[in-house]
Amino acid sequence: METPTPTDLLAKLPPVPVNVSEPFRHCQLGRAGKATTLSHLLATLDGPFVLAVTGGWGAGKTTFIDMWSASLAKDLPHPPLHFNAWKDEYHADPLIPILSTIETTASQYNK
C-alpha cells in the first residue's frame, strides 16, 4: 500500500445523503439527539439568536447542518434559511448570495 500524499488526505469525500423524511437516517455520528436539543432551544427563544457550529476540518459540521436543516424544514411551519458562506465565498458582495438564498427559500415555500 502506498503512502497517501497530502492531496490524498485533503480529498473531499462525497456528501452524506440527507433523506428529507428521515434526515438523520445516514448519520454515523449519533447527532440526531443534538439536533433535537437545539430544535427545542430554538423553540424557547424570544428574540434574535446566533448559533455557531464549530469543529475541525472534516468533523461533519456541514453534514450536521444539512441534516438539521432538513429536520427543521419537516417540523416547522416556516422554512429554515440555510446559507452556506463557504459555498459563496468568492462573491465580492456577500449580500448578493444571502439575498439569493432568501429568495430561493421563499420561492420553494410559496408555491
Side-chain angles (χ1 to χ4, degrees), residues 8-94:
D8 294 333
L9 297 174
L10 294 177
K12 188 170 182 170
L13 297 173
V16 174
V18 178
N19 182 314
V20 293
S21 61
E22 297 177 77
F24 287 91
R25 179 178 184 180
H26 299 289
C27 181
Q28 298 295 309
L29 301 174
R31 293 184 173 165
K34 292 181 183 347
T36 300
T37 300
L38 289 171
S39 295
H40 288 302
L41 173 66
L42 289 178
T44 64
L45 295 173
D46 187 27
F49 179 73
V50 175
L51 173 71
V53 176
T54 62
W57 188 89
K61 299 176 298 291
T62 299
T63 300
F64 173 75
I65 293 296
D66 290 344
M67 290 177 175
W68 187 33
S69 182
S71 177
L72 289 170
K74 184 175 68 117
D75 297 336
L76 293 176
H78 50 79
L81 184 67
H82 182 176
F83 177 72
N84 184 342
W86 294 111
K87 188 176 89 176
D88 294 306
E89 69 179 339
Y90 59 88
H91 282 279
D93 184 353

